[in-house]
Amino acid sequence: MRRLPLSPALLMLAYAAVGLAGCAPVTDAPSLARRPAEAIDPRLPIADRSAALPADPALAAALRRIADPAFAQARTVDAAIARAEGLAATAGPPGSESWISAQQSLSAAVAAQEPVTRAIGEFDAAVADRIASGARLVPQDLAAVRAISGDLAAVDRRHRAALASVQRRLSR
């Protein structure tokens, strides 16, 4: 194959055409002008005025309605655990009548705690639904959520520790 020689003038014309093609106007390019958000100094602290917002009384009432049965049931669970502890303290060896009776009492105490466990799940679901819905949670709402949640968790921890203690005593 034979190469055709390119004249320097033709070569310069080709380079000029390519160079001018890059200078064509772009009609849909974004503007390089400063946007309003760029005028804000990022070092300035942002004032949190959310503490002044009023709490949602309906939220606190709804969360209390979910938690109150658990708090009411806590006394029943405490009594069932006390019965199980008493029977476990006097239980004979595994498989004996007294040991079986203590195991059944422990099972009754665990079953009595079910409303507390259910209330914790419903409480968490209600708060998660509130967050997922995009509804506001002001600091006062969050304080109410934390207080009720903390009270539920304390009851649950106390019961679980007592039930575990009875279980350890019976599994000796």
Side-chain angles (χ1 to χ4, degrees):
M1 208 180 222
R2 196 173 138 212
R3 270 182 86 178
L4 295 173
L6 289 177
S7 71
L10 188 58
L11 192 57
M12 289 300 284
L13 185 60
Y15 284 138
V18 169
L20 288 175
C23 295
V26 178
T27 57
D28 60 347
S31 169
L32 295 178
R34 290 179 60 90
R35 293 181 289 272
E38 292 173 340
I40 300 171
D41 186 354
R43 297 169 295 180
L44 295 177
I46 298 173
D48 181 12
R49 293 184 179 88
S50 63
L53 294 172
D56 183 0
L59 174 65
L63 295 177
R64 273 282 165 212
R65 277 193 302 278
I66 293 170
D68 282 346
F71 296 134
Q73 183 68 17
R75 290 184 288 281
T76 304
V77 176
D78 290 336
I81 290 172
R83 277 192 300 280
E85 286 172 335
L87 290 172
T90 61
S96 67
E97 287 293 321
S98 60
W99 183 84
I100 292 171
S101 178
Q103 284 284 3
Q104 289 173 336
S105 181
L106 175 62
S107 295
V110 169
Q113 204 220 6
E114 184 269 335
V116 176
T117 305
R118 183 177 342 110
I120 291 170
E122 290 174 1
F123 183 88
D124 289 346
V127 173
D129 289 345
R130 174 72 179 232
I131 292 169
S133 74
R136 67 179 174 86
L137 279 174
V138 299
Q140 293 175 19
D141 291 334
L142 289 174
V145 166
R146 286 187 185 112
I148 297 169
S149 176
D151 292 345
L152 282 172
V155 168
D156 186 55
R157 270 192 309 274
R158 182 170 43 90
H159 289 162
R160 290 187 186 277
L163 291 169
S165 173
V166 173
Q167 180 62 44
R168 281 191 303 276
R169 180 175 277 174
L170 290 174
S171 63
R172 55 183 143 104

